[in-house]
Amino acid sequence: MPIPTYFQDPNTLRINTTPHHAYFIPHSSVESAVKNPRELSNYFISLNGDWDFAYFDRYGDLPQDFLSHALPDKILVPSNWQNHGYDHHHYTNINYPFPFDPPYVPKDNPCGLYQRNIELALNPKKRYLLNFEGVDSCLFVYVNQSFVGYSQISHCTSEFDISDFLIDGNNVITVVVLKWCDGSYLEDQDKFRMSGIFRDVYILEREQHYLQDFFIKTALSDDLKSALLKVELSFVKEGNPAALREIGWQLNDPKGDILLSAVTESGFEFTINQVQLWNAEDPKLYTLLFRYGSEVICQKIGFRKIEVQNGVLLLNQQPIKFKGVNRHDSDPQTGYNISREQAVTDLRLMKEHNFNAIRTAHYPNAPWFAELCDEYGFYLIAEADIEAHGCSMQYVQRPENSILL
């Protein structure tokens, strides 16, 4: 059973993934949403830990029956397989680490085969979303030996609705990861090249017709004394919508005092007077809670106004100077796998040395990292997972006909 060649087809970026959306984790109560880490949510099922694993020097060596094939080894998820004795570490900046022939990658393309069993007691009124927060370079996902989907873009979350593939009791999740794909031509960052499932993996239990995305918008008055808060919502298109889509809202100020309690059937707008502003030295955050069905979602909000006047960057009408660092989301011991504790250690070290800004060189960090920057007080410059300067190193005999120009 060979895998499809989606990994070198520029027209195929993702198959059967949910649309990109804001990062959030639903909880079952207000208290849990405000106080608990996501791992303690009743709707969060972690798949981190030991997975069965097999490594192949080339993807063509995958057994025909790989979905039922017994895997000889164990590997920790999340991690990079280079940190566990497979393959080798590779560093390069500009030059590509493989022959330049876009969109194709070498046939000697290393491959990792992962498998995990999980017991589930399914609720027929719920949907189940499988999340991979980071996989390098691409992944094929199977549940109970059925193909679920494909995804790439290493440092971005891939989410799959696996509700229709699950059964009550034991379920088998199989993932095939390739070291290179056509996206590797666009992820040519200055970094160590490491592979595998390197960020958290989990299942979210959601409402049947769940809240899929929201957009929080803020607008400050000219005198910065009041602010308009606007929230736009979108729900998943599949499934049956609730007869009455009631959404409960609560907004607390930085001290925890309730400013608003309301119920709507969509988003809402609210004006906050005597607003307390956010900045890196005094990162005051409001708490927005909203409930739909059995889910409670908590979002922290900082009110600030950013603008450029006469070439000067202003925050809340005051000139500021970035004293920043380029931060790679990696570690000599754990590779691309960075825990919250490791990230907090970095942020505290930066604060102790009077840094106030971070550039996520050169790709998106874990989705929760921006929340830490809100809390600890850092201006964040978040980069996309794209850098293709390896093309500039290619010799072009006839540049007038080159796709590189």
Side-chain angles (χ1 to χ4, degrees):
M1 180 183 175
I3 58 174
T5 57
Y6 301 140
F7 58 91
Q8 46 191 8
D9 177 5
N11 296 312
T12 304
L13 186 65
R14 295 186 164 193
I15 296 175
N16 295 336
T17 57
T18 64
H20 281 302
H21 57 79
Y23 166 70
F24 61 94
I25 302 294
H27 289 251
S28 59
S29 68
V30 169
E31 183 179 12
S32 177
V34 172
K35 296 182 179 180
N36 287 339
R38 65 183 188 176
E39 289 80 8
L40 295 183
S41 167
N42 291 336
Y43 304 137
F44 184 98
I45 304 169
S46 175
L47 297 182
N48 290 354
D50 287 336
W51 286 51
D52 296 329
F53 182 74
Y55 171 81
F56 303 91
D57 287 325
R58 55 199 307 270
Y59 72 89
D61 293 337
L62 270 173
Q64 289 292 315
D65 62 343
F66 70 85
L67 290 175
S68 57
H69 189 73
L71 306 188
D73 301 323
K74 296 281 188 181
I75 195 169
L76 180 65
V77 170
S79 70
N80 297 109
W81 67 54
Q82 287 86 352
N83 283 16
H84 291 268
Y86 305 97
D87 198 6
H88 59 275
H89 288 90
H90 195 156
Y91 169 77
T92 182
N93 180 7
I94 297 176
N95 289 315
Y96 287 111
F98 46 76
F100 183 80
D101 186 23
Y104 304 106
V105 292
K107 292 183 178 179
D108 293 336
N109 188 1
C111 168
L113 177 60
Y114 297 76
Q115 196 168 90
R116 167 76 187 260
N117 289 55
I118 181 169
E119 291 282 335
L120 293 173
L122 299 180
N123 184 336
K125 297 181 180 180
K126 299 286 188 175
R127 306 296 296 177
Y128 293 86
L129 307 183
L130 175 60
N131 281 261
F132 296 85
E133 290 189 345
V135 179
D136 199 320
S137 69
C138 65
L139 71 159
F140 297 79
V141 178
Y142 304 82
V143 172
N144 296 325
Q145 299 192 7
S146 294
F147 176 68
V148 172
Y150 167 85
S151 185
Q152 55 188 67
I153 308 178
S154 299
H155 293 84
C156 291
T157 298
S158 299
E159 184 179 66
F160 302 88
D161 187 337
I162 58 172
S163 308
D164 298 335
F165 298 89
L166 296 174
I167 58 174
D168 259 323
N170 183 63
N171 292 268
V172 182
I173 299 174
T174 305
V175 182
V176 177
V177 178
L178 301 187
K179 183 174 184 176
W180 311 121
C181 69
D182 53 1
S184 301
Y185 286 99
L186 303 178
E187 297 177 10
D188 188 37
Q189 295 99 332
D190 180 5
K191 64 179 182 179
F192 279 95
R193 312 304 169 101
M194 293 183 252
S195 316
I197 304 174
F198 65 88
R199 285 182 182 159
D200 292 339
V201 184
Y202 51 88
I203 295 172
L204 292 179
E205 184 182 270
R206 302 298 311 275
E207 293 286 325
Q208 188 68 232
H209 188 71
Y210 59 88
L211 174 65
Q212 186 169 67
D213 200 4
F214 56 84
F215 196 161
I216 298 174
K217 300 180 179 181
T218 61
L220 289 166
S221 61
D222 291 340
D223 60 7
L224 304 183
K225 292 183 178 180
S226 64
L228 176 65
L229 172 65
K230 181 178 181 181
V231 185
E232 299 173 354
L233 305 176
S234 60
F235 290 78
V236 66
K237 294 181 180 179
E238 293 78 12
N240 296 318
L244 181 62
R245 185 185 289 169
E246 286 192 342
I247 304 156
W249 303 92
Q250 180 176 306
L251 181 66
N252 297 352
D253 69 13
K255 293 182 179 179
D257 296 331
I258 298 176
L259 300 180
L260 165 74
S261 291
V263 176
T264 70
E265 293 186 25
S266 59
F268 83 106
E269 293 186 11
F270 180 67
T271 298
I272 301 169
N273 296 313
Q274 302 302 316
V275 65
Q276 301 178 57
L277 302 180
W278 182 98
N279 60 62
E281 288 71 38
D282 189 13
K284 292 181 178 178
L285 294 172
Y286 288 71
T287 301
L288 177 65
L289 294 157
F290 43 108
R291 178 192 292 274
Y292 172 67
S294 64
E295 298 181 354
V296 178
I297 296 166
C298 177
Q299 287 288 295
K300 298 290 186 177
I301 303 173
F303 291 91
R304 80 287 182 274
K305 184 176 183 179
I306 301 174
E307 56 190 329
V308 176
Q309 292 186 6
N310 301 319
V312 177
L313 180 65
L314 303 180
L315 180 85
N316 301 333
Q317 300 179 355
Q318 298 296 318
I320 62 170
K321 181 177 289 187
F322 282 168
K323 298 178 181 179
V325 296
N326 294 326
R327 179 185 178 274
H328 270 285
D329 202 33
S330 61
D331 181 272
Q333 299 297 322
T334 60
Y336 293 170
N337 173 30
I338 298 296
S339 66
R340 293 179 73 93
E341 291 74 20
Q342 288 170 293
V344 168
T345 297
D346 284 354
L347 296 179
R348 286 176 174 169
L349 185 64
M350 295 176 201
K351 277 292 183 181
E352 289 170 0
H353 289 80
N354 297 316
F355 290 106
N356 66 1
I358 298 172
R359 173 191 178 210
T360 65
H362 303 284
Y363 39 77
N365 281 198
W368 41 260
F369 184 74
E371 295 181 338
L372 291 180
C373 292
D374 286 343
E375 177 184 350
Y376 281 85
F378 284 94
Y379 307 116
L380 184 64
I381 303 171
E383 294 196 344
D385 204 357
I386 181 168
E387 191 167 330
H389 56 185
C391 296
S392 66
M393 302 302 291
Q394 305 305 313
Y395 172 71
V396 181
Q397 187 173 9
R398 300 181 63 189
E400 67 274 10
N401 296 323
S402 172
I403 64 170
L404 305 178
L405 300 178

